Every structure is written in structure tokens, then in C-alpha cells.
Amino acid sequence: MSNESRRRTLWQALGLYAAGSWVLLQVVDVLTQNIPLPSWVFLLTLGLLAAGLPVTVATAVIQGRAAAQAQESPSADRASGAHRIFTWANLVRGGVVALAVWGVAVTGWLLASRDSGDGWDVVAGLEEIERLTNDADFTAAYDIARELDPQVGNDSVRTAMWEMVSRTLTVSSEPAGATVLRRDYAPIDAPWEELGTTPVTVERYPFGRSRVRLELKGRESIEVALVSGVLAEAGPFQMAPSGSMPEGMIPVQGGEAYLFVPGLEQLPALDIPDYFLGRLEVTNREYEEFVDGGGYDDPACWTHPFEDGGRTLSFEEAMDRFVDRTGRPGPSTWEAGTYPDGTADHPVGGVSWYEAEAYACFRGMSLPTVYHWYWEADPLRGAPAVPLSNFDGEGPAPVGSYGGMTRSGTLDMAGNVREWVRNTDGEGRFIIGGGSEDPRYAFNDAVTSPPFDRSAANGLRLALYPDSTGLEAASARIEPEFRDYTVEAPVSDEVFDVYRQLYDYDRTALNAELVSTDTTELWVRQRLDLDAAYEGPRLTLFVYVPADASGPVQPIMFFPGSGDIYQRDYANLSPGVFDFVIRSGRAFIYPAYLGTWERGTELSSDVQNTSAMYRDHVISWSKDFRRAVDYLATRDDMDMDAVGYLGISWGGAMGPIMVAMDERVRAAVFYVGGLMMQQVQPSADPFNFLPRVTAPTLLFNGRYDSFFPYEASIVPFAEHLGVSGEEKRVVVTDANHFVLSFNRNDSIREALDWFDRWLGEVN
């Protein structure tokens, strides 16, 4: 054999070895992605391949020389020498042995890690992290990730794991240099963990709510309830010089304050400047200083007319009412001019609105306004404070003894005692937050009481406004819209038949046009434009079909939350968290309802009102919905005997109209739906449509929903549904409006089980 032939044999062997090594490394990489392996597995693979390389080279060279000798001297004896050891057969046997060593090592590690009681199996741990994050139990998920981290050998798996439970967060302060401490929001005695000094960037800050404390010598300490996962920065926190803060007060950073409270959502937002709010409720000990200081004798701080039943009382007449159980000046809960033994640090209770105002004046402060109170309480996101607050039914507790902290560091805004605020509704005064014997959802309710009401649960908290900009508007009279659905009744069938005619439309040609098609591993999405059932822009419809669908699929009609009203670009439209519908093997049908996305109109809110504009939009939404179902009926890939409805928030509230007006819907799921508190024209009122719902319906709600209060909204919604027995299921969880964040696993399971039951299981 020539030298050129031997070189060719060597390069061929090296080429085959390189190709085989590349394939093996790819297999290891795939295994590492799907079965997380420690870093030494990859190093072991490289070591074995490195050890095999010189053996392969030696075998190729020696066998090449042997072949050349055989060609030059066929009778020569080649049964001795290195070529007897370095044979291709022995090379293959060595490769098998190396592979066996690799397999035994990896399998042993997997078995050892799975059976070890010292930590999580990696695969099981990752699955548990996903389950916990879906249920918003970020603390437990983060703890598992921290325990699992040393066992995860693949960087991409580690990155994905930490992205499920944390994000990068920068905490800053003015001045800089403050020590930052963090601990879990619950339990309240969780240990503090030092994060560094400001400005500090934490690469893996846990999602969810936690308590953060900033300390700096010569400055007032700050403790806040911080929700991570939304912002990449917290601060800068203003560290006031020691002794410069009003005693017992905390600073609250102002902003655009909305009232996400039932009956008040229709009110405009107000820009409020920074202000101070009492960290705790006023105590008996503190109020005693007002009593002992002659507060009930000096009219200087009693600046509001004493109005009762259309009559104005004199100062003396009013003071005759503001006495304790023994007729002495003081709260109604006191006796002999003082509070009961052992209650000095309990919140004062049994005071009227007039007394609360006078006490605030005595301290040189004010009562909060509705806007300032709710801006800090933040009931939309403040549900985690409720389980840690005093709703035990055993009366008030010492202030601050419960751990329900709201965002700027106040305590007891939920429960303990109700708190008077400045605003009136014309007759009563707002008293909010709920007391210890009130139901937990009282935290979300904006209720009023007569200003002379001296119930034992009536207390107060102080506010101070260094900048009075906008204070007059924030203190103005507020007339909440409230409907007592316990005394209302849906309209009769005869009247409803008249309303139904408003929703009729001519079944004209759809003129459907396929605009685009997009494909992912999960779905095929088609955008279609078709003629609407009214004069106006064409209806845009997005149809998501599972990528692996092989026959007719069950279409689930979607009605979104009100955020779609403010969207204007279809590029941002996606199933989002509702992709579980597609993963279940069903089609997800997403119409762009009039007033949403690129079909925007003058509509600016989902809050119902009595205008003709709003009524006409409701009717158009129903027509959009049914027009979309009309289109689905023209397709061979849709199972029209199994049409479902899925609505969330706004879509849950509108669900009764959509489902009642289209009998083709065979099952419905309403996430956090309920009855709104605002008046609306009867023909567009979901309350009148509830009894006409005939499809089996699942309601999934949060007990502390800040939009749909449980007793006033959710209960009558469920009671008036036109289905009963096994065709109606009501699930109420200990969450606020965001049940898909707090109870994702349960909410998905309930919805899919409901569709499986009433539409049929998907193959």
C-alpha cells in the first residue's frame, strides 16, 4: 500500500471518529436538556472521547502498515506485534466498554439522586417548581430552586429554572448606602436576609410579595411590602433624616390614583402628591390624650356642622351624644372616662366621624381621603394582606400585632377596626377597611355610615398632606353606584323578548377573507376578516387550531378582559395564559370585539353606564360573537356540536349576554365574572340575561375580588343563572381578582374538566 493510501485510511478513520463524537455529544446535550445532568457528565464524555482518539489513530496507522506489508509480501507472518492488539475489532470492543462505563455512571447518579433523602430529584424538583409558581406560591418555589441549583448541571436548564421564580431587581435609595434587608411576606417572623447596600442589584430576587427594610445611620428606616415580577427597579426610596418624620407616620409616594373599588370604578383618577399616613390605627392610649386635654370641651376642632335627620345640632347637643357608657366624654366603648384595662394599645373604637375629625385636628393632621386611603391599601393587589389581618371575629387586637402590611408599610388597613375617611356620599361618611368581626371581603368594600354612628368597630387612622395640591378634589363628595341585587329581579319573558329583537341581525354573506397564517409548534393561527353584522369596520377573527389536530376540533369562543379596550396593534394579540385551551386539543377563537384592538372606538372603559353608546357596543359585541360562530359553522375542521365559551373578568361579566343569545354554546366557563354595581340600560344589563343562560356554566371567582364583591355581586350572579344542579358549579378561592395568577393550576383544571364533561373529552 502506498503512503498516500495509508494517509487516506488515517484521515478516513479520523473523520469517522469526529463524526461519531459529534453525534454522541449532541445526544448528551439533548439528554441534558430533558433529563438535567450534572456538569461532570459532559466532562466524562469528553474524557472518554479524548482517551479513544489516540487509540483510534494508533489502530488506523498500525492496521494500515499491516495491510501494506500484506500487499508487498503476502506470505509474511503478521500474527505478532502491535497489530494484534490495535485491531478494529478491539477498538469496537473498547468503545462498547467506554459506553457501558458512561451509562453505568450516569444511571447510578440518576438513581442515587432520586433515592437520596437529602434533596430533590432534579426532574421532580423542576416539576414541583412549575406547579408552585402556577399557584403563585413563589416562596416555596424559590426555596426549591435554591436547593436544586447545585444539582443542575446544564446552564440553560438552570437559567430557565431561575426565570420561573425570580428576576433581576435593583433597589436604590436617596441618599445611597442604605443596608437592604429582605424577608418573605409570610410568615411574618421569617428571618431577614441582607442583600447589600444601595444601589444594589439582586440577580435572583424572588417573585411575589416580600418585606423589604432599608437602614442607614442618621436616617429613618423604611419597611415596605414589595411585589416583585412587575418592575426591574424599586426606589429610589427617600431616606428622611432621623427625627424629621411626623411621629407614627410613614411616607407614601403619590401617583395617579384610581379607585379599583366596586361602585367607584367609574370615578376619574386623580394625581395625588406625596403624603404621610399613620403606620398604625390610633390607639386608646393616644386618644386618651385628646380626652384628658379637654378635646370634648373646646369647640376649636369641631369645625363641621352637626347634621342629623335634616336638623343641625348645637355644639352642646352634639357633645351630649359623644359620651361613654357612664355618660362621661369619650368613645362609646369606654367607661368612667377611660378605656378598659389591658386595651391601651388596642385601636380606639366607638367613635363617630365627628370625633375622628376633631381628634385629627387636635393632632394637627387630617383624616385620609378615599383616594389616599385606597392608594395605599391597594385592594386590587393587596389580597395577601387579608389572611394576615384581624378578621378573627374576636374583637380588636393591639395595633400592629397582625402582619397584614400594605405596600408602603402600613399595618391593619384590613380588619381590626373600620376607619373613617373624609369623604361623604351626601348623607353618610365613608368608613372602610372592615373590622375584626366583618367578613374578609369587607376590605374591598367602600361603605358609608351616618356620621353620628359610634359602633364599637369604628376607628380611625391619621394622614398628613404637606402638599395640598388636589386635596379638595380628593375630599369631594362621592356618590358610589351600588345596586342591591337581592331586591332586584330580572325582567319578564315578555319584556326580554323585546330586548332580544335588538340583538337580531340579517344572516348576510360573511365574505370571509384569510389575511394571514402563522404556525408554531403548538398552533396554526389564521387571521380572518369578515363582514360585521352592523354598519362599521369589518370583524377581525383569530382562529388558533392545535398544530397536531387531525380532525374536527372543539372551538372555545373567548371573550377577554378589559385590557383589550386599550390595545391597538394586532401584533400584540396572543392566547397568552389561555394557551392551555390549545394544549388541551381544542381550538381557541379570539374575535376582536368592537372597541378593542384595531377596531377601537370612543369606548374608554368596560364599566357599564346608561348611555346609548354603551348599549350599542354591548349589542355589537353579541353580534360579533355570533357572527364568529356563524363563520366557524362553515368550516369542516370545527365540531359545532361542542362549542364552548371562555370569558375572564370583562368576559365573565359579559358572559350571560353572549351565552344566552347563542344557543350553539354547549358549555361556559366564567373566570372572575360578576354583576357590576353601575346602572345600565335594561336591554344591555347582564342581570336580565342570567336566567336565560341554558348552557352548563362554571363560575371561578376570588373571595376578595376588588371588582366583583362576593356577597353583593358574585352570589346574586350565581343565584340567578338559568341553570342549576350539576349544570352549575361555583368555585370561590381565597384570592383577589387575579385567580389565574394565584390559583393557576386549580383554575385550569376546573375549566378543562368542565369542558371535558359537557363538550366531551379530546382524543
Side-chain angles (χ1 to χ4, degrees):
M1 179 183 286
S2 66
N3 290 335
E4 182 179 348
S5 297
R6 288 197 297 271
R7 285 196 298 270
R8 185 164 59 247
T9 301
L10 175 60
W11 285 114
Q12 288 172 343
L14 290 175
L16 289 172
Y17 191 84
S21 299
W22 183 86
V23 170
L24 182 58
L25 290 173
Q26 293 302 308
V27 170
V28 171
D29 184 62
V30 171
L31 288 174
T32 305
Q33 296 290 338
N34 294 278
I35 308 175
L37 299 173
S39 57
W40 61 257
V41 172
F42 192 79
L43 296 176
L44 174 63
T45 307
L46 284 177
L48 291 173
L49 291 173
L53 179 60
V55 177
T56 301
V57 172
T59 301
V61 171
I62 292 171
Q63 291 301 317
R65 289 176 178 173
Q69 292 175 3
Q71 195 174 38
E72 296 171 357
S73 178
S75 61
D77 182 9
R78 297 176 302 278
S80 61
H83 70 275
R84 296 177 58 188
I85 299 174
F86 292 94
T87 66
W88 295 115
N90 286 342
L91 182 65
V92 172
R93 293 188 187 98
V96 172
V97 171
L99 184 61
V101 170
W102 185 93
V104 168
V106 173
T107 303
W109 179 86
L110 289 173
L111 292 175
S113 64
R114 182 177 297 275
D115 295 336
S116 172
D118 297 332
W120 283 89
D121 162 62
V122 173
V123 177
L126 292 173
E127 291 174 350
E128 181 67 3
I129 288 172
E130 183 175 12
R131 184 190 71 79
L132 290 168
T133 54
N134 284 339
D135 279 341
D137 191 351
F138 296 110
T139 298
Y142 186 89
D143 289 343
I144 294 175
R146 194 151 50 179
E147 180 181 344
L148 203 62
D149 185 82
Q151 303 177 53
V152 178
N154 182 271
D155 289 340
S156 61
V157 172
R158 177 181 286 104
T159 299
M161 176 184 71
W162 283 110
E163 286 179 349
M164 284 194 290
V165 299
S166 65
R167 71 163 303 158
T168 300
L169 180 72
T170 298
V171 182
S172 61
S173 68
E174 292 183 359
T179 300
V180 181
L181 305 169
R182 179 211 166 268
R183 67 180 178 185
D184 295 337
Y185 187 74
I188 59 174
D189 58 353
W192 288 103
E193 174 187 5
E194 185 171 331
L195 304 181
T197 57
T198 57
V200 58
T201 298
V202 184
E203 296 297 332
R204 295 172 178 172
Y205 193 93
F207 283 146
R209 183 174 289 252
S210 57
R211 301 171 194 263
V212 173
R213 183 174 179 84
L214 285 79
E215 298 176 345
L216 181 62
K217 185 177 181 180
R219 300 282 171 165
E220 295 282 353
S221 297
I222 295 175
E223 186 174 341
V224 299
L226 185 64
V227 180
S228 173
V230 179
L231 302 176
E233 297 183 3
F237 293 98
Q238 304 298 319
M239 308 287 291
S242 298
S244 66
M245 293 271 291
E247 184 177 357
M249 310 292 279
I250 60 168
V252 180
Q253 185 175 356
E256 189 177 24
Y258 286 88
L259 295 176
F260 292 115
V261 186
L264 304 183
E265 304 104 319
Q266 73 280 358
L267 297 175
L270 292 180
D271 286 322
I272 58 175
D274 298 351
Y275 61 104
F276 293 100
L277 193 63
R279 180 174 179 269
L280 302 169
E281 295 162 328
V282 173
T283 66
N284 282 317
R285 188 197 310 275
E286 291 167 332
Y287 197 85
E288 187 178 43
E289 295 178 18
F290 172 63
V291 177
D292 293 346
Y296 283 87
D297 299 322
D298 184 359
C301 277
W302 303 83
T303 58
H304 297 272
F306 301 106
E307 303 286 349
D308 186 26
R311 189 171 74 88
T312 301
L313 279 65
S314 67
F315 177 77
E316 291 73 20
E317 289 177 307
M319 294 306 110
D320 287 342
R321 296 190 180 190
F322 300 149
V323 294
D324 65 18
R325 296 169 184 171
T326 59
R328 295 176 179 273
S332 67
T333 55
W334 289 17
E335 187 175 296
T338 189
Y339 48 82
D341 290 343
T343 64
D345 293 322
H346 286 59
V348 64
V351 295
S352 67
W353 179 84
Y354 292 108
E355 291 166 280
E357 270 281 322
Y359 175 81
C361 170
F362 172 78
R363 293 295 188 186
M365 299 186 186
S366 305
L367 294 181
T369 74
V370 166
Y371 279 92
H372 291 84
W373 196 95
Y374 277 119
W375 175 250
E376 167 60 19
D378 192 20
L380 183 63
R381 299 174 181 84
V386 175
L388 299 180
S389 299
N390 182 14
F391 286 106
D392 293 342
E394 299 181 358
V399 295
S401 57
Y402 283 73
M405 176 184 288
T406 42
R407 59 181 173 186
S408 298
T410 54
L411 295 169
D412 298 327
M413 294 196 80
N416 222 22
V417 291
R418 306 169 195 139
E419 300 178 14
W420 287 110
V421 294
R422 295 182 71 169
N423 306 73
T424 179
D425 66 349
E427 297 181 359
R429 294 283 176 170
F430 283 89
I431 185 165
I432 49 187
S436 64
E437 298 184 15
D438 292 326
R440 291 175 181 264
Y441 55 77
F443 177 54
N444 298 327
D445 288 349
V447 299
T448 60
S449 287
F452 275 101
D453 180 13
R454 307 183 80 224
S455 299
N458 294 357
L460 72 149
R461 182 186 304 267
L462 297 179
L464 183 63
Y465 308 108
D467 183 347
S468 62
T469 303
L471 184 58
E472 183 178 355
S475 306
R477 173 173 171 170
I478 292 176
E479 295 187 13
E481 293 195 38
F482 180 79
R483 295 175 61 176
D484 187 353
Y485 288 103
T486 63
V487 299
E488 289 192 43
V491 297
S492 66
D493 289 343
E494 292 77 15
V495 173
F496 185 77
D497 285 340
V498 175
Y499 296 160
R500 186 191 297 272
Q501 295 176 29
L502 297 173
Y503 291 79
D504 288 340
Y505 62 90
D506 295 329
R507 298 305 196 272
T508 56
L510 294 167
N511 295 320
E513 174 191 0
L514 178 62
V515 177
S516 62
T517 300
D518 301 299
T519 303
T520 70
E521 293 182 359
L522 176 60
W523 41 252
V524 176
R525 183 183 82 166
Q526 295 178 330
R527 172 191 166 175
L528 301 115
D529 286 350
L530 47 142
D531 290 347
Y534 46 82
E535 292 293 329
R538 299 239 296 167
L539 170 62
T540 298
L541 180 67
F542 291 88
V543 177
Y544 294 81
V545 178
D548 57 356
S550 58
V553 293
Q554 301 172 2
I556 306 300
M557 295 291 300
F558 181 60
F559 201 114
S562 60
D564 280 22
I565 294 173
Y566 314 105
Q567 296 285 349
R568 288 295 179 267
D569 188 349
Y570 287 141
N572 298 323
L573 186 147
S574 75
V577 296
F578 299 99
D579 63 0
F580 68 83
V581 172
I582 308 169
R583 295 183 187 279
S584 75
R586 297 177 170 91
F588 186 77
I589 315 301
Y590 197 154
Y593 296 92
L594 185 68
T596 69
W597 296 100
E598 295 178 18
R599 303 182 73 226
T601 64
E602 70 272 34
L603 183 73
S604 60
S605 170
D606 66 318
V607 178
Q608 63 189 23
N609 59 66
T610 58
S611 69
M613 182 273 291
Y614 180 82
R615 176 205 62 203
D616 292 345
H617 272 78
V618 173
I619 295 172
S620 296
W621 299 333
S622 174
K623 292 179 179 179
D624 287 342
F625 180 88
R626 286 178 292 152
R627 195 71 164 166
V629 179
D630 292 345
Y631 165 74
L632 297 179
T634 68
R635 296 176 58 134
D636 295 332
D637 60 345
M638 296 292 157
D639 182 357
M640 297 307 294
D641 292 326
V643 178
Y645 177 89
L646 177 64
I648 181 167
S649 187
W650 181 36
M654 290 294 106
I657 298 177
M658 303 302 116
V659 176
M661 294 306 300
D662 198 324
E663 295 181 352
R664 292 170 291 186
V665 175
R666 302 301 174 87
V669 173
F670 300 158
Y671 281 131
V672 288
L675 294 167
M676 299 186 194
M677 295 295 105
Q678 292 77 20
Q679 294 292 331
V680 64
Q681 292 194 25
S683 60
D685 190 350
F687 185 61
N688 291 325
F689 290 76
L690 276 170
R692 281 82 193 183
V693 172
T694 59
T697 301
L698 165 70
L699 307 179
F700 198 99
N701 287 86
R703 193 176 306 277
Y704 314 125
D705 195 325
S706 56
F707 288 104
F708 301 115
Y710 177 70
E711 289 288 347
S713 173
I714 297 170
V715 170
F717 187 100
E719 289 179 346
H720 286 281
L721 266 175
V723 290
S724 59
E726 64 178 8
E727 294 186 343
K728 176 171 65 176
R729 176 168 170 76
V730 181
V731 179
V732 180
T733 67
D734 288 335
N736 62 9
H737 193 67
F738 303 111
V739 296
L740 278 175
S741 297
F742 283 94
N743 298 89
R744 178 169 171 79
N745 289 329
D746 288 344
S747 59
I748 291 176
R749 181 177 61 253
E750 289 281 354
L752 294 183
D753 286 351
W754 194 254
F755 287 140
D756 285 347
R757 179 177 183 183
W758 297 105
L759 302 182
E761 294 186 8
V762 177
N763 295 327

